[in-house]
Amino acid sequence: ALPLPVAALAMVWTALAGHEWYTVMAATVATGALAVAFLLLLKWSLLGRVRPGKHPLWSCWCSRWDFLYVAWGMIARGFLAELEGTLLLNAVLRGFGMRIGKRVLLGGGFAQVVDPDMLTFEDDSTVVGNFQAHTFEDRVLKIDRVRIRKGATVGHHAVLFYGADIGAGAQVAPHGVVLKGERLAAGVRWAGVPVQRA
């Protein structure tokens, strides 16, 4: 949301100063890039590389983790939403710690990712689903990886919980739910809640 007010101010300044429209575009892009750069600095200074593990809910680590998520939503989400469907967003998400292979197609909803370090999408995968790489159980944050192997497809609104591992070439149908720690066999279509062989 931050780039929008700055862009509005840039438009007013441009109109008053008699500058061209591309000045506004340049100001908007520069503001968005600054917001993303600030968020990247925040991520690596507050959390560094996140690893699978357990953290008490009221710990300093959980507070930093939560702060980063809120800051991402307030500072950079609006700008990154404009990059959805482009390779630029893949590059930015790699900067946050996601492991994204070559020719990976990401659907909508990746302008803000809660646990980027936990997500691995191998080459040629198509990812449109939702991810829950963490849970709160008995006041403990549990966090683990979600892996989508080479050429696998995760359909629209499918949900993958932490520890899920989607085999190479497997397909998870839209609205399917992959439970925590579940490993799906390669080359098989899966559907349902929870998923079963389709």
Side-chain angles (χ1 to χ4, degrees), residues 163-176:
D165 192 330
I166 311 304
Q171 297 178 5
V172 178
H175 304 284

Side-chain angles (χ1 to χ4, degrees), residues 93-118:
L93 293 175
R94 285 184 188 106
F96 281 103
M98 281 179 66
R99 293 162 184 88
I100 303 174
K102 298 174 185 172
R103 298 172 304 279
V104 171
L105 176 63
L106 298 179
F110 282 95
Q112 184 174 16
V113 179
V114 182
D115 302 306
D117 293 295
M118 297 296 109

Side-chain angles (χ1 to χ4, degrees), residues 86-142:
T86 72
L87 295 176
L88 287 173
L89 183 60
N90 289 20
V92 170
L93 293 175
R94 285 184 188 106
F96 281 103
M98 281 179 66
R99 293 162 184 88
I100 303 174
K102 298 174 185 172
R103 298 172 304 279
V104 171
L105 176 63
L106 298 179
F110 282 95
Q112 184 174 16
V113 179
V114 182
D115 302 306
D117 293 295
M118 297 296 109
L119 302 180
T120 300
F121 306 152
E122 294 184 2
D123 296 348
D124 303 310
S125 57
T126 301
V127 186
V128 190
N130 304 307
F131 302 92
Q132 187 70 37
H134 71 274
T135 60
F136 289 103
E137 301 172 28
D138 297 325
R139 294 179 300 280
V140 174
L141 169 70
K142 297 180 180 180

Side-chain angles (χ1 to χ4, degrees), residues 151-176:
T153 300
V154 176
H156 189 64
H157 289 307
V159 177
L160 280 62
F161 284 93
Y162 71 84
D165 192 330
I166 311 304
Q171 297 178 5
V172 178
H175 304 284

Side-chain angles (χ1 to χ4, degrees), residues 3-33:
L4 296 179
V6 174
L9 288 174
M11 284 187 203
V12 171
W13 174 76
T14 300
L16 294 175
H19 294 290
E20 299 295 328
W21 63 269
Y22 51 82
T23 306
V24 175
M25 294 302 294
T28 303
V29 170
T31 303

